[in-house]
Amino acid sequence: MAFDVLSAIDVNERVQFSQNFSVARPTVLDTLFPDVKTQHFKAEYYRLMQGQTLPTPAFVHAMDSEAHIGTRPSFEKVLTEKLFIKEKINQSEQIQMYINNGVPDDNGLIKWVFDDMGRLSENVVTRSLIMKGNALSRGIIKVKENNLDITVDFGVPADQKINFGDWSDPDYDIFGDIQKAVKLGKDNGKILNTMVTSDTQVQRMRKNKAMQTAVYGGINVGKYVTMADLRSTLKEEFGLDLAVCDERFAYTKADGSRVTSRYFDEDVVSFSVTGVNHQLGTGLWGPTPEEAAYAAYQEAIQKMFVCVTMWESPDPVAKWTKASGMFIPVLPDPYGMVIAKVGGSATLGTLTVNSVAGSSSGKTTVTVSPAKAEGHSYKYKISSSATAVTVGQNVQTWSAWDGSAEIEAATGQYITVVECDASYKAVKAGNTTVTAEA
């Protein structure tokens, strides 16, 4: 008699497998985003967000005829319809392959089918870890499932996504970069206490001369900093607990080749405010549509992060196995994060500059937005054409402006305004044509 997988592995066994399949993995991502299952997905998300602004979703593109580039669904729609991860295989084809390759009996086939269920379920968990890694190292998640390509922005402020210098240079001031990130948190009322990065950046810190001097003194420059001393120094100097995220996952490209990628970007240092047990957020799992098939097993459903189902289709005639999960990482305080890209090329920010007639002849009233950051100042230059500015340009010799005083200039001239840091290096710039009182 032909092997019938639906009879051999009945609904009770599938329920038992699903409820006992653990999604917890020994990674820093699961420490920061511990997994929780709820039957009230949307309500629990709102509760965990604690009144914070909801993430902003946007379709990048979808492969169906009705999708449009750049369309923006409501976040409620994303929560209830889009964050659905699923993997399925044609079990009939798999079983035939096992038989052709010498699996001797029904018990052997059952074992191989359970292995398939485990692999499918593991793929769903991998996708959840990718989303956690995206949230931690980019402040966004990218969902590429079910013919969908969507990006969800968790709202980490743009000025808290910064660039660090070249950490591969042993002479570079890594201390200064870390201090910049910590200060940025403090300026926003956040005491950052966790620092996550890759082993690549950790080894660069251990080779850094300033770090070696801070730990061992000037006569010991060149002495490799131990991990214990590095952790102790970061904790003592900055109040930061160091964690390393280097785990990878494998996937198959469209051309059939197998490649690996990282959950957490190698060139990123992520700073955050974490609570008890170093928790930053939550890995929130909700009910899948497939759980309706297990309605009689309510107690089991409560424990079921990944749901495994099996069914038969008439056309094509086949038996299928599917693992599915509804998942989103919850980041309740995006303002408590600073995400830095090591070696990232800094870009000049934009100022919107407006000029209207001032209160007296030859004077103009200038307004600028957005407002300058704390510790920064304004410089300006009047000329017959807009003055080009590059990021980091020294504008110390330009005219100082307090942001409100009227400026002397002639109508038709150009005024270029620069926001600069304490070292007079350009951070943002903008220009406009002058309108002055006649």
PDB file of all heavy atoms in Angstrom, residues 356-378:
ATOM      1  N   VAL A 356      13.164  87.481   3.705  1.00  0.00           N
ATOM      2  CA  VAL A 356      12.124  88.502   3.467  1.00  0.00           C
ATOM      3  C   VAL A 356      12.688  89.852   3.880  1.00  0.00           C
ATOM      4  O   VAL A 356      13.707  89.942   4.585  1.00  0.00           O
ATOM      5  CB  VAL A 356      10.837  88.197   4.265  1.00  0.00           C
ATOM      6  CG1 VAL A 356      10.223  86.887   3.820  1.00  0.00           C
ATOM      7  CG2 VAL A 356      11.116  88.181   5.756  1.00  0.00           C
ATOM      8  N   ALA A 357      12.029  90.917   3.430  1.00  0.00           N
ATOM      9  CA  ALA A 357      12.510  92.266   3.727  1.00  0.00           C
ATOM     10  C   ALA A 357      12.587  92.499   5.228  1.00  0.00           C
ATOM     11  O   ALA A 357      11.711  92.074   5.993  1.00  0.00           O
ATOM     12  CB  ALA A 357      11.589  93.292   3.077  1.00  0.00           C
ATOM     13  N   GLY A 358      13.664  93.156   5.635  1.00  0.00           N
ATOM     14  CA  GLY A 358      13.860  93.439   7.051  1.00  0.00           C
ATOM     15  C   GLY A 358      13.134  94.697   7.489  1.00  0.00           C
ATOM     16  O   GLY A 358      12.296  95.246   6.763  1.00  0.00           O
ATOM     17  N   SER A 359      13.491  95.175   8.673  1.00  0.00           N
ATOM     18  CA  SER A 359      12.791  96.327   9.264  1.00  0.00           C
ATOM     19  C   SER A 359      13.358  97.664   8.833  1.00  0.00           C
ATOM     20  O   SER A 359      12.749  98.706   9.068  1.00  0.00           O
ATOM     21  CB  SER A 359      12.840  96.227  10.788  1.00  0.00           C
ATOM     22  OG  SER A 359      14.185  96.238  11.243  1.00  0.00           O
ATOM     23  N   SER A 360      14.536  97.658   8.207  1.00  0.00           N
ATOM     24  CA  SER A 360      15.142  98.914   7.762  1.00  0.00           C
ATOM     25  C   SER A 360      15.854  98.705   6.442  1.00  0.00           C
ATOM     26  O   SER A 360      16.101  97.560   6.027  1.00  0.00           O
ATOM     27  CB  SER A 360      16.121  99.438   8.822  1.00  0.00           C
ATOM     28  OG  SER A 360      17.146  98.499   9.072  1.00  0.00           O
ATOM     29  N   SER A 361      16.216  99.780   5.786  1.00  0.00           N
ATOM     30  CA  SER A 361      16.804  99.723   4.454  1.00  0.00           C
ATOM     31  C   SER A 361      18.082  98.879   4.446  1.00  0.00           C
ATOM     32  O   SER A 361      18.951  99.027   5.305  1.00  0.00           O
ATOM     33  CB  SER A 361      17.119 101.132   3.965  1.00  0.00           C
ATOM     34  OG  SER A 361      17.704 101.098   2.676  1.00  0.00           O
ATOM     35  N   GLY A 362      18.173  97.993   3.446  1.00  0.00           N
ATOM     36  CA  GLY A 362      19.362  97.171   3.291  1.00  0.00           C
ATOM     37  C   GLY A 362      19.422  95.974   4.221  1.00  0.00           C
ATOM     38  O   GLY A 362      20.439  95.285   4.268  1.00  0.00           O
ATOM     39  N   LYS A 363      18.333  95.722   4.945  1.00  0.00           N
ATOM     40  CA  LYS A 363      18.313  94.608   5.892  1.00  0.00           C
ATOM     41  C   LYS A 363      17.360  93.508   5.402  1.00  0.00           C
ATOM     42  O   LYS A 363      16.326  93.781   4.784  1.00  0.00           O
ATOM     43  CB  LYS A 363      17.862  95.067   7.275  1.00  0.00           C
ATOM     44  CG  LYS A 363      18.803  96.073   7.928  1.00  0.00           C
ATOM     45  CD  LYS A 363      20.038  95.386   8.484  1.00  0.00           C
ATOM     46  CE  LYS A 363      20.880  96.348   9.305  1.00  0.00           C
ATOM     47  NZ  LYS A 363      22.060  95.681   9.899  1.00  0.00           N
ATOM     48  N   THR A 364      17.704  92.262   5.706  1.00  0.00           N
ATOM     49  CA  THR A 364      16.832  91.131   5.400  1.00  0.00           C
ATOM     50  C   THR A 364      16.641  90.278   6.647  1.00  0.00           C
ATOM     51  O   THR A 364      17.549  90.161   7.481  1.00  0.00           O
ATOM     52  CB  THR A 364      17.407  90.255   4.258  1.00  0.00           C
ATOM     53  OG1 THR A 364      16.509  89.186   3.984  1.00  0.00           O
ATOM     54  CG2 THR A 364      18.758  89.664   4.632  1.00  0.00           C
ATOM     55  N   THR A 365      15.443  89.741   6.762  1.00  0.00           N
ATOM     56  CA  THR A 365      15.157  88.801   7.852  1.00  0.00           C
ATOM     57  C   THR A 365      15.240  87.391   7.289  1.00  0.00           C
ATOM     58  O   THR A 365      14.532  87.051   6.337  1.00  0.00           O
ATOM     59  CB  THR A 365      13.765  89.050   8.441  1.00  0.00           C
ATOM     60  OG1 THR A 365      13.733  90.363   9.014  1.00  0.00           O
ATOM     61  CG2 THR A 365      13.448  88.021   9.529  1.00  0.00           C
ATOM     62  N   VAL A 366      16.097  86.589   7.875  1.00  0.00           N
ATOM     63  CA  VAL A 366      16.355  85.230   7.381  1.00  0.00           C
ATOM     64  C   VAL A 366      15.819  84.215   8.381  1.00  0.00           C
ATOM     65  O   VAL A 366      15.992  84.363   9.600  1.00  0.00           O
ATOM     66  CB  VAL A 366      17.875  85.009   7.164  1.00  0.00           C
ATOM     67  CG1 VAL A 366      18.156  83.563   6.768  1.00  0.00           C
ATOM     68  CG2 VAL A 366      18.397  85.968   6.092  1.00  0.00           C
ATOM     69  N   THR A 367      15.158  83.209   7.857  1.00  0.00           N
ATOM     70  CA  THR A 367      14.722  82.083   8.694  1.00  0.00           C
ATOM     71  C   THR A 367      15.312  80.801   8.131  1.00  0.00           C
ATOM     72  O   THR A 367      15.502  80.669   6.914  1.00  0.00           O
ATOM     73  CB  THR A 367      13.192  81.959   8.737  1.00  0.00           C
ATOM     74  OG1 THR A 367      12.687  81.821   7.405  1.00  0.00           O
ATOM     75  CG2 THR A 367      12.572  83.171   9.408  1.00  0.00           C
ATOM     76  N   VAL A 368      15.594  79.860   9.037  1.00  0.00           N
ATOM     77  CA  VAL A 368      16.244  78.609   8.664  1.00  0.00           C
ATOM     78  C   VAL A 368      15.530  77.448   9.355  1.00  0.00           C
ATOM     79  O   VAL A 368      15.168  77.538  10.533  1.00  0.00           O
ATOM     80  CB  VAL A 368      17.735  78.619   9.072  1.00  0.00           C
ATOM     81  CG1 VAL A 368      18.363  77.246   8.851  1.00  0.00           C
ATOM     82  CG2 VAL A 368      18.498  79.663   8.281  1.00  0.00           C
ATOM     83  N   SER A 369      15.348  76.368   8.638  1.00  0.00           N
ATOM     84  CA  SER A 369      14.821  75.149   9.243  1.00  0.00           C
ATOM     85  C   SER A 369      15.517  73.939   8.629  1.00  0.00           C
ATOM     86  O   SER A 369      15.956  74.007   7.473  1.00  0.00           O
ATOM     87  CB  SER A 369      13.300  75.057   9.042  1.00  0.00           C
ATOM     88  OG  SER A 369      12.994  74.932   7.657  1.00  0.00           O
ATOM     89  N   PRO A 370      15.682  72.858   9.392  1.00  0.00           N
ATOM     90  CA  PRO A 370      15.305  72.718  10.805  1.00  0.00           C
ATOM     91  C   PRO A 370      16.247  73.482  11.714  1.00  0.00           C
ATOM     92  O   PRO A 370      17.300  73.953  11.267  1.00  0.00           O
ATOM     93  CB  PRO A 370      15.436  71.204  11.029  1.00  0.00           C
ATOM     94  CG  PRO A 370      16.504  70.784  10.079  1.00  0.00           C
ATOM     95  CD  PRO A 370      16.309  71.615   8.854  1.00  0.00           C
ATOM     96  N   ALA A 371      15.886  73.603  12.978  1.00  0.00           N
ATOM     97  CA  ALA A 371      16.719  74.319  13.940  1.00  0.00           C
ATOM     98  C   ALA A 371      18.040  73.586  14.130  1.00  0.00           C
ATOM     99  O   ALA A 371      18.121  72.363  14.003  1.00  0.00           O
ATOM    100  CB  ALA A 371      15.985  74.457  15.266  1.00  0.00           C
ATOM    101  N   LYS A 372      19.075  74.339  14.457  1.00  0.00           N
ATOM    102  CA  LYS A 372      20.399  73.742  14.656  1.00  0.00           C
ATOM    103  C   LYS A 372      20.432  72.869  15.906  1.00  0.00           C
ATOM    104  O   LYS A 372      19.671  73.057  16.850  1.00  0.00           O
ATOM    105  CB  LYS A 372      21.466  74.832  14.760  1.00  0.00           C
ATOM    106  CG  LYS A 372      21.306  75.786  15.918  1.00  0.00           C
ATOM    107  CD  LYS A 372      22.396  76.847  15.898  1.00  0.00           C
ATOM    108  CE  LYS A 372      22.189  77.898  16.978  1.00  0.00           C
ATOM    109  NZ  LYS A 372      22.267  77.374  18.340  1.00  0.00           N
ATOM    110  N   ALA A 373      21.333  71.900  15.897  1.00  0.00           N
ATOM    111  CA  ALA A 373      21.504  71.005  17.031  1.00  0.00           C
ATOM    112  C   ALA A 373      22.223  71.720  18.171  1.00  0.00           C
ATOM    113  O   ALA A 373      22.934  72.718  17.957  1.00  0.00           O
ATOM    114  CB  ALA A 373      22.294  69.778  16.610  1.00  0.00           C
ATOM    115  N   GLU A 374      22.049  71.214  19.376  1.00  0.00           N
ATOM    116  CA  GLU A 374      22.715  71.795  20.536  1.00  0.00           C
ATOM    117  C   GLU A 374      24.227  71.727  20.343  1.00  0.00           C
ATOM    118  O   GLU A 374      24.782  70.700  19.923  1.00  0.00           O
ATOM    119  CB  GLU A 374      22.323  71.037  21.805  1.00  0.00           C
ATOM    120  CG  GLU A 374      22.911  71.636  23.073  1.00  0.00           C
ATOM    121  CD  GLU A 374      22.461  70.899  24.320  1.00  0.00           C
ATOM    122  OE1 GLU A 374      21.544  70.067  24.212  1.00  0.00           O
ATOM    123  OE2 GLU A 374      23.047  71.141  25.384  1.00  0.00           O
ATOM    124  N   GLY A 375      24.925  72.841  20.639  1.00  0.00           N
ATOM    125  CA  GLY A 375      26.368  72.889  20.489  1.00  0.00           C
ATOM    126  C   GLY A 375      26.816  73.330  19.108  1.00  0.00           C
ATOM    127  O   GLY A 375      28.012  73.550  18.883  1.00  0.00           O
ATOM    128  N   HIS A 376      25.877  73.451  18.173  1.00  0.00           N
ATOM    129  CA  HIS A 376      26.203  73.916  16.829  1.00  0.00           C
ATOM    130  C   HIS A 376      25.939  75.413  16.709  1.00  0.00           C
ATOM    131  O   HIS A 376      25.300  76.020  17.571  1.00  0.00           O
ATOM    132  CB  HIS A 376      25.371  73.162  15.792  1.00  0.00           C
ATOM    133  CG  HIS A 376      25.791  71.741  15.612  1.00  0.00           C
ATOM    134  ND1 HIS A 376      25.311  70.935  14.595  1.00  0.00           N
ATOM    135  CD2 HIS A 376      26.665  70.974  16.314  1.00  0.00           C
ATOM    136  CE1 HIS A 376      25.867  69.731  14.684  1.00  0.00           C
ATOM    137  NE2 HIS A 376      26.671  69.731  15.726  1.00  0.00           N
ATOM    138  N   SER A 377      26.431  76.011  15.635  1.00  0.00           N
ATOM    139  CA  SER A 377      26.225  77.439  15.396  1.00  0.00           C
ATOM    140  C   SER A 377      26.013  77.682  13.913  1.00  0.00           C
ATOM    141  O   SER A 377      26.212  76.779  13.089  1.00  0.00           O
ATOM    142  CB  SER A 377      27.431  78.248  15.898  1.00  0.00           C
ATOM    143  OG  SER A 377      28.628  77.820  15.273  1.00  0.00           O
ATOM    144  N   TYR A 378      25.579  78.907  13.582  1.00  0.00           N
ATOM    145  CA  TYR A 378      25.359  79.277  12.193  1.00  0.00           C
ATOM    146  C   TYR A 378      26.485  80.184  11.692  1.00  0.00           C
ATOM    147  O   TYR A 378      26.991  81.046  12.427  1.00  0.00           O
ATOM    148  CB  TYR A 378      24.034  80.031  12.036  1.00  0.00           C
ATOM    149  CG  TYR A 378      22.793  79.191  12.226  1.00  0.00           C
ATOM    150  CD1 TYR A 378      21.850  79.546  13.183  1.00  0.00           C
ATOM    151  CD2 TYR A 378      22.546  78.084  11.429  1.00  0.00           C
ATOM    152  CE1 TYR A 378      20.688  78.797  13.360  1.00  0.00           C
ATOM    153  CE2 TYR A 378      21.389  77.328  11.590  1.00  0.00           C
ATOM    154  CZ  TYR A 378      20.470  77.693  12.560  1.00  0.00           C
ATOM    155  OH  TYR A 378      19.332  76.955  12.724  1.00  0.00           O
TER     156      TYR A 378
END
